[in-house]
Amino acid sequence: MLFWALAILTAIFSLARFKPLRNHLGTTQAVAIFALRLFAIAIAALLFSPISISFSRKVTQPNQIAVLVDSSQSVNTSVRHQVVRRLKQALQKQAGSVLVWEFGEDLKPVSLNEISSQTDGSASLLSEAILKVVEKARPEELLIITDSQDTAPRHERLLETLRRTGTRLSAIILPTNLPTNLSISLSPTQSFLFAGEKANFTVRIRGERLRGRTSAHLRVWRGNKLVFQSPLKFVNGVAQTDVSLSPEKSGWHRYRFEVLPVEGEIWTEDNDAEVLVWQAPTKLRVLLVTGQPNFEFKFAKRAVESEPNFEMVSVASLPDRTRYQQGSPKLMPASLTNPEKFHVAVIIAPTADEFGVAEGRGIWQFVQSGGGLLLTLNELSIRTNGWRFFMPYSLAFVPLPPLPSLLPVREEPVGNQLSNLPKVDVAWAIGSLPSSAHPVLLSFGKPVLVWWQEGLGKVAIVAFDGTWRWVMEAASKGKQPEIHQKFWLTLLRFLADPMKGEKVKMSNTERDLKTPKPPPSELSLPPDPKPVENWAKATGGKVLKPEDLEAWVKELSWKRTVKIQASQPISAMPLPYLLLLLALTIEWWLIRRSGLT
């Protein structure tokens, strides 16, 4: 404000002096002096104003050249080593002018001579690494040396960033070296046994990219003890076998299955897996009960006695309705009102005059507590409603045509084991089933064998009669009654729960099983070079071969000329000061020459 006040006062004073100057010096000289004074005031005003003058100038700058080298495990190491050696030779004169990074699962800057000869990255974050380099360094030229493996692709954003920064991408695509890999799978992962039984597991070993390998070595450990080992041969890349394990005592057992790595295998997290086995302290205990003995009871009893891992007590009635028991002495006396020491109760064709409400209630409570119940029917049992003591459901039984065929229900776990059964004498279709019931066998399209979960236990109803004839038919042919035995033993084993009554619990840590972890895509999926080729094409770069490296380096432009826009305030320029000094000097000279000073 002070300057502008002085400038205005100076202009007014100069205007006031104009008339005396004209009278003394004449009009011409007075106008010249007045004009010089106003010019000086204008120059001074410009120097104090914020006005700037914009202009452009050319500047020579070095080009940013960047190299990104893949160090992940999928890269063919020998070819990568050759390419890196060529790169060092081609750039040895400009080594200090090139920015170099290595990437795998992370990105790290290195010097040209520090590029590692080993590949150990467990991932290949290709697009992520390019994005970081481009956004950080904004290079004019970017060379990537990679096998194109990209375990976390971000293609759309990458291409947009390359175009925005004006980066020209070129690439050398290396061959991939996916390693051999073995993986193991087990079925099932848990097994529940009775004393004397064996745990059966199906072991499947899959081999990928096998190089002349035709076998693998399987081992099974319980703690530090080797309990099984065997070589397995591969057929079409798969080796499979069944392994049976026999726990030495009751309780929980953890087994570890492992397949030994083959040469060149990197990922071994899928080479072993664990299973749990529970063995009950006793054998499977069966309570077999009927009224008056019949052939079904007789041959069912014989089938159970043929299994060494079963313990049984059979209960039947004499003609005077006196009951007698046979079987394992340690399980007698047996009672239907309190059958808790058994695992399965089998009631053969019950009739109303042979059993009572208390026995039915005892058996049903036994099922609710985890026991299994197998109820078979015949015509007398259905006609007298004897089954109602043991089955508090309003079931309906409809007679089917004679000599029914038995067909298993597809994909039903019990039905799959009961295939190829002979015909039976008679059968009844079971209706009004509980909603949770599973049909196992069908005849004329109707369910004749069903089971369902009841409380902690299982219930099964066999609504046909005459399985004892299967034994007679086999004997007439001089064969063992294998079908009959398999039918009964399969049903009993399915209904029995080895954990019944056991309160042994495992902690969450003990329940955690080691399961195979599949290899990362870095080591399992073949890379796709098309995205890299598209990036090079879209940015004006090239897809090079290793022998083209020297020519590519020679074509590079290491410097560039750019125009820089700049601005400078008038007060920072020398010309206004010179003009101001010149105007004041001429004014002083004119006044001095006229003799006024």
Side-chain angles (χ1 to χ4, degrees):
M1 291 296 294
L2 180 61
F3 166 76
W4 293 109
L6 291 175
I8 293 172
L9 289 175
T10 302
I12 295 173
F13 178 75
S14 299
L15 182 61
R17 289 191 61 197
F18 177 74
K19 189 175 181 180
L21 283 175
R22 186 183 61 183
N23 294 336
H24 183 73
L25 300 177
T27 301
T28 301
Q29 289 193 27
V31 170
I33 292 173
F34 182 71
L36 288 170
R37 180 65 58 84
L38 292 179
F39 182 74
I41 293 173
I43 293 297
L46 287 175
L47 291 175
F48 279 90
S49 68
I51 298 176
S52 299
I53 297 178
S54 298
F55 58 92
S56 62
R57 59 191 179 94
K58 293 182 179 180
V59 178
T60 300
Q61 294 180 339
N63 266 338
Q64 286 279 47
I65 310 296
V67 177
L68 190 58
V69 183
D70 195 339
S71 62
S72 61
Q73 296 179 78
S74 63
V75 174
N76 187 297
T77 307
S78 60
V79 177
R80 179 183 180 275
H81 179 70
Q82 297 174 10
V83 173
V84 169
R85 180 168 51 82
R86 283 178 175 269
L87 180 68
K88 292 178 179 178
Q89 292 175 351
L91 293 175
Q92 58 182 346
K93 294 182 180 180
Q94 293 88 8
S97 304
V98 179
L99 303 174
V100 182
W101 283 271
E102 281 188 319
F103 75 95
E105 68 269 20
D106 54 11
L107 179 69
K108 61 179 180 180
V110 295
S111 67
L112 187 63
N113 293 324
E114 291 176 342
I115 299 177
S116 61
S117 58
Q118 300 298 322
T119 55
D120 54 5
S122 58
S124 184
L125 304 180
L126 173 60
S127 54
E128 184 71 26
I130 296 175
L131 275 171
K132 290 181 178 179
V133 169
V134 171
E135 291 176 346
K136 182 177 181 180
R138 294 181 175 270
E140 283 73 33
E141 296 282 351
L142 174 61
L143 174 66
I144 58 173
I145 300 173
T146 180
D147 64 349
S148 304
Q149 186 72 277
D150 195 356
T151 54
R154 301 174 65 182
H155 296 171
E156 293 183 1
R157 184 185 169 191
L158 174 59
L159 189 55
E160 177 186 347
T161 303
L162 287 171
R163 287 171 173 167
R164 176 169 48 83
T165 58
T167 299
R168 184 164 49 248
L169 184 145
S170 298
I172 295 179
I173 300 179
L174 303 174
T176 301
N177 188 27
L178 295 181
T180 299
N181 188 68
L182 301 182
S183 60
I184 189 171
S185 61
L186 305 175
S187 179
T189 58
Q190 290 188 1
S191 183
F192 301 90
L193 310 176
F194 289 98
E197 293 183 332
K198 293 183 178 181
N200 297 313
F201 298 93
T202 299
V203 184
R204 181 182 176 91
I205 300 172
R206 181 179 177 84
E208 296 179 334
R209 297 173 295 277
L210 296 175
R211 298 181 178 91
R213 186 82 176 187
T214 59
S215 64
H217 195 79
L218 174 68
R219 299 193 302 191
V220 183
W221 300 83
R222 185 179 66 245
N224 295 324
K225 183 179 180 181
L226 182 65
V227 297
F228 178 87
Q229 60 178 332
S230 174
L232 302 179
K233 290 186 177 181
F234 286 101
V235 178
N236 297 325
V238 175
Q240 183 169 316
T241 188
D242 294 325
V243 176
S244 296
L245 301 175
S246 300
E248 297 175 350
K249 59 182 181 179
S250 62
W252 287 106
H253 303 270
R254 185 188 296 264
Y255 293 90
R256 183 169 64 89
F257 290 69
E258 68 171 6
V259 55
L260 298 183
V262 296
E263 182 179 358
E265 186 172 8
I266 296 174
W267 183 261
T268 58
E269 293 296 318
D270 56 357
N271 283 44
D272 62 315
E274 292 180 338
V275 298
L276 283 175
V277 177
W278 161 261
Q279 186 181 65
T282 66
K283 295 182 178 182
L284 194 160
R285 295 175 171 179
V286 180
L287 176 61
L288 181 65
V289 182
T290 191
Q292 292 285 333
N294 54 24
F295 283 121
E296 200 77 318
F297 173 81
K298 175 181 178 181
F299 287 107
K301 178 173 178 288
R302 186 179 298 178
V304 176
E305 290 173 336
S306 69
E307 174 54 62
N309 293 322
F310 285 11
E311 294 178 322
M312 182 188 67
V313 170
S314 62
V315 179
S317 298
L318 295 173
D320 61 359
R321 300 192 183 282
T322 302
R323 289 184 179 175
Y324 67 93
Q325 300 183 7
Q326 293 178 311
S328 176
K330 61 184 177 182
L331 297 178
M332 296 191 295
S335 169
L336 271 70
T337 58
N338 187 22
E340 288 303 318
K341 53 188 171 184
F342 296 92
H343 296 99
V344 181
V346 183
I347 314 297
I348 302 290
T351 58
D353 59 344
E354 293 169 332
F355 297 97
V357 174
E359 293 175 319
R361 186 181 299 116
I363 291 294
W364 197 249
Q365 183 61 43
F366 162 75
V367 173
Q368 296 285 329
S369 301
L373 171 62
L374 177 61
L375 181 66
T376 73
L377 303 176
N378 63 9
E379 186 175 355
L380 182 60
S381 176
I382 293 176
R383 189 169 60 246
T384 63
N385 288 329
W387 55 272
R388 290 296 300 272
F389 287 117
F390 304 99
M391 195 67 53
Y393 288 108
S394 299
L395 302 179
F397 298 97
V398 180
L400 297 176
L403 294 178
S405 299
L406 303 176
L407 300 177
V409 176
R410 293 182 180 180
E411 300 181 359
E412 212 295 322
V414 188
N416 289 338
Q417 301 177 60
L418 300 179
S419 57
N420 300 322
L421 295 177
K423 294 181 179 181
V424 291
D425 290 349
V426 291
W428 296 268
I430 309 175
S432 304
L433 292 169
S435 59
S436 59
H438 299 262
V440 177
L441 295 177
L442 303 177
S443 185
F444 297 98
K446 304 294 183 180
V448 295
L449 171 57
V450 298
W451 74 271
W452 67 86
Q453 191 78 34
E454 188 67 48
L456 298 178
K458 297 174 183 174
V459 176
I461 299 179
V462 178
F464 50 84
D465 189 21
T467 66
W468 60 274
R469 291 193 184 276
W470 302 347
V471 181
M472 307 296 288
E473 292 174 4
S476 66
K477 299 177 182 178
K479 297 181 180 180
Q480 294 296 322
E482 295 179 357
I483 295 178
H484 182 266
Q485 290 180 351
K486 182 178 180 181
F487 174 82
W488 282 95
L489 299 182
T490 298
L491 273 180
L492 293 177
R493 183 60 183 86
F494 173 74
L495 295 172
D497 180 10
M499 294 292 290
K500 176 183 177 293
E502 297 295 337
K503 297 182 179 180
V504 179
K505 303 293 183 181
M506 290 187 299
S507 66
N508 291 333
T509 302
E510 291 174 325
R511 285 186 180 273
D512 289 339
L513 296 175
K514 185 182 187 307
T515 55
K517 295 181 180 179
S521 55
E522 165 71 17
L523 300 176
S524 57
L525 297 178
D528 182 10
K530 289 184 179 179
V532 177
E533 295 172 355
N534 292 337
W535 299 336
K537 182 179 179 181
T539 59
K542 299 178 180 179
V543 177
L544 306 172
K545 295 181 179 179
E547 55 268 22
D548 297 333
L549 258 176
E550 290 81 0
W552 178 80
V553 171
K554 291 180 181 179
E555 293 176 358
L556 291 177
S557 176
W558 294 93
K559 293 183 179 181
R560 59 174 178 167
T561 301
V562 296
K563 286 185 177 181
I564 297 179
Q565 294 292 327
S567 62
Q568 190 174 25
I570 292 179
S571 60
M573 302 174 65
L575 181 59
Y577 294 99
L578 292 176
L579 292 176
L580 178 59
L581 181 60
L582 180 61
L584 293 176
T585 302
I586 294 175
E587 180 188 1
W588 174 82
W589 180 78
L590 289 175
I591 294 174
R592 182 177 179 80
R593 193 185 69 168
S594 64
L596 294 178
T597 58

